[in-house]
Amino acid sequence: MESVINRVVSARPSPHHSIVFYRAGGQCRLSLDELSQLAWRVAAYLRRLGVGAGDRVGIIAKNRLEWVLLDLAALRIKAVSAGLEAGKFAASSELIDRFGLRLLFTDAPPAHGDGNDDRIKDIDCLLAGLGDLPADPDGAAVSYRPDETTTIKFTSGSTGVPKALAATVGSIDLSITGTQALFAHGPLDKLFVFLPLSLLQQRYWIYSALAFNHDVVVTNYELAFWALRREQPTVVMGVPAFFEALRKEIDARVARSCGNASEAAAVAAMRRVAAFEAIGNRIRYLWTGSAPANQDMLRWFNDCGMPIFEGYGMNETCIVTKNAPGANRPGSVGRPLSGRHISLDANGIVIVRSDYPVNTKYLYAAPGDSERIFMPDGSVRTGDLGRIDEDGYLYILGRADDIVVLQNGHNVLVRPIEERLAACSSIEQCLVVGFGRPCLVAVLCTGHGEAAQPTITEHIAAMNKTAGDDERIGGFVLAPQPFSMENGLLTSQYKPRRRAIEALYGKEISETYEAMA
Amino acid sequence: MNEPRDLVLRHLSKCLRAAVAGSDGLDFDGDLKRDYGLTSLSLMLLITSICDEAAIDLSDFTEDDIARLRTPRDIVAMLMSAGGRPL
């Protein structure tokens, strides 16, 4: 397998393909060749600041050109990039010491009292600091072995306390080449990236652009919809919440335009037009992963003429499976990429073995954390319940954590119930709880306050009619605000933080049970 | 000042579901997330649509401008600050 990373650090990319950055305050566009040359100047700058092979360079910033330059520059000099999620971490001396960083570049003010720590660098000043430095000359000599680590990623963790994980070059190469084998990204493609670059997988698509010569757009979620309409990408790297938001907005607009009396065919045609207006008419496919996708949403985009492919992976495994053109089984998350191998343990939990594992242990974690995930042979115990069909397609049934054990001792997998709840037009987000309780209760976010209560009650009553005894919803709590990253109730990949939501609405949940007693 | 207000409320009305009859019933000082149930993503969809119609470059605003948006009134204030360009 030719190393993508080795190609990125040593080969000269295309001057005919570009990378464009949209962020609040402006945008910039440069050719991949210009990006590469600029990154090698940043490499020289890092060397001048004393950064060498093995040193860790921290980055706390929203997506921007300088983020990518630092990451590529670190690759070039065999330093280790450490992407920390903006907004979640504050730039501080304590953080630098805790994670053993040589330098930390940030777009936010340093923590109080740490302003004089010269290890903390203002990322806004990076380009000005280059002066007339020439490009780092040593690129041709740089070569990585598959087992070398090049970056540290931080898992979001269901408790909100991140664990660090160093990723091997082999695992990155395997993910990018495996994806390339399925989707053949090439010169006519423009990939769209808006999730945080601190998530390593988002940087794959920049490495892919440099290795396989295609365009790439990098933005933040704030400007994602704005940039989509202007850039007309061929591929959007998204998550279910992003596509759901688009679907709901388009459906609401179409419903208002058509009224109730319109024919289904007319509505479908209007939806299709609206979808192309929103996302552009060059879409080759949409990528979704990181969280379970609602099958109705996937069908909706497919019906609009935009193929959408669900996949599966986690920080500890990189990309494991992916549906793809010609190998797409709705409801599944696809078949394993080349070099990844899946099986189920006795409890139905998905086990992933990789020809090149991401790693075999966490760097910073409580005793026992590594052993809970990484098995002695290097396989990863994912904690996801799965099923593998006769053709090797993987179906994720839920997190082992998504199992609610009721008072009667029965296990209830709540994810499918949450999906049925979310089908209600008045429910924006939901979470089902009930551990140790006599029945399930739902915590619901709605855009219509108390006014939505009758619609929701009716929807739940209809669900309960066909549900098994333990799967019925006994009551619900209306959350006064949506689950969001800002309030700590969603991960950066838009997954609800189950424990945080249960803790926040603990009183209302208890009152709901008391009212039922 | 009526024009941007109407623009914002009309777009907000469009992106909400059936429970809201029209822009007349919307509270100009209602909380976009708490009262109208907008998520971070759906709020950005709303802002994008408004800026598109008003021919204002969304990327001209700062992250702080966007982070401060709580109510329809805040959106109007942000639009009015857009480089003095008429709506």
Side-chain angles (χ1 to χ4, degrees), chain A residues 55-99:
Chain A
D55 285 340
R56 292 179 186 164
V57 178
I59 307 167
I60 305 179
K62 289 199 152 199
N63 293 359
R64 56 192 287 165
L65 169 62
E66 290 86 346
W67 212 124
V68 173
L69 293 174
L70 284 166
D71 184 53
L72 295 174
L75 271 179
R76 175 80 158 206
I77 61 175
K78 286 204 162 188
V80 175
S81 62
L84 295 133
E85 194 179 327
K88 192 167 182 178
F89 293 90
S92 68
S93 304
E94 186 277 327
L95 185 86
I96 289 176
D97 293 337
R98 184 173 12 138
F99 293 126

Side-chain angles (χ1 to χ4, degrees), chain A residues 40 44 47 76 135-141:
Chain A
W40 305 158
R47 280 193 204 276
R76 175 80 158 206
D136 181 79
D138 296 339

